[in-house]
Amino acid sequence: MTRVNSAEQLLEHYNQGERNFEGSNLDGANLSGLVLKEINLSRANLRKADLTGTDLNKAILFQADLSTAILNRVELSQANLTGANLSRSLITGGILKKTILLKASLNGAILIGANLTQARLRQADLSDTNLSSADLSEAVITEAKFTQARYSISTNFPIGFDPVIAGMQI
């Protein structure tokens, strides 16, 4: 495990084959456009980080702090974000297919056009999120909070999910 404090250090060690950066402090780091597949950033501080267009396919972000981060067009398919804090983050157009969001906080996040097909949202907090045009088809939604979350007519939900009963607003 290597703890890093800058995007440059992260990229240098990642390119040398290191994948475990648990507990790193990358607050405000610019990681946009990087390919960081299968990286372990568990418990890392990524507050305010720019991850626009970053490939984090199969990444482990267990209990990572991504609050107020920019994750537009991020690739997070099959990533594990169990217990992660994504509050007030910007995830427009993000790809989160088959992503594990168990007990994750997405309170106030903007997920416009995000692809959450087959995502696992058990006990996730999506209160006050914007899910306009998001695709949650086949997502596993169990005990998740959607209070005051917004959706549009083009938002896709799993069969049997009722956004009104969940407390969402169109």
Side-chain angles (χ1 to χ4, degrees):
M1 175 177 63
T2 303
R3 288 194 178 171
V4 295
N5 295 308
S6 71
E8 293 78 18
Q9 288 178 338
L10 176 71
L11 198 52
E12 178 183 335
H13 289 281
Y14 185 88
N15 287 338
Q16 293 172 0
E18 178 69 35
R19 295 295 179 265
N20 190 351
F21 299 94
E22 188 173 341
S24 290
N25 183 6
L26 295 160
D27 188 340
N30 183 354
L31 303 170
S32 61
L34 298 180
V35 176
L36 300 171
K37 293 179 182 182
E38 299 180 6
I39 194 167
N40 182 351
L41 286 164
S42 294
R43 297 181 189 84
N45 175 6
L46 291 154
R47 280 188 302 261
K48 302 177 190 167
D50 185 352
L51 295 147
T52 301
T54 301
D55 186 347
L56 292 163
N57 194 30
K58 297 183 180 178
I60 301 169
L61 292 151
F62 178 81
Q63 294 182 345
D65 186 352
L66 291 143
S67 57
T68 66
I70 302 168
L71 297 131
N72 293 327
R73 299 178 316 281
V74 70
E75 168 64 64
L76 277 164
S77 291
Q78 300 180 53
N80 187 340
L81 286 109
T82 298
N85 181 1
L86 293 130
S87 297
R88 299 179 321 280
S89 58
L90 189 59
I91 316 173
T92 302
I95 301 170
L96 293 93
K97 289 182 184 177
K98 298 183 179 179
T99 299
I100 300 169
L101 291 156
L102 172 68
K103 296 184 180 180
S105 175
L106 292 115
N107 188 20
I110 298 172
L111 291 144
I112 296 170
N115 184 340
L116 291 143
T117 55
Q118 299 180 18
R120 292 164 56 196
L121 297 162
R122 185 169 183 208
Q123 297 178 334
D125 183 0
L126 289 104
S127 301
D128 200 37
T129 57
N130 187 336
L131 290 161
S132 296
S133 301
D135 187 355
L136 288 100
S137 57
E138 299 181 52
V140 178
I141 301 172
T142 314
E143 301 174 48
K145 296 178 191 171
F146 287 93
T147 309
Q148 300 297 313
R150 293 168 307 286
Y151 68 101
S152 66
I153 193 128
S154 57
T155 302
N156 291 319
F157 293 105
I159 294 170
F161 181 83
D162 187 330
V164 176
I165 291 173
M168 299 178 73
Q169 303 172 347
I170 194 155

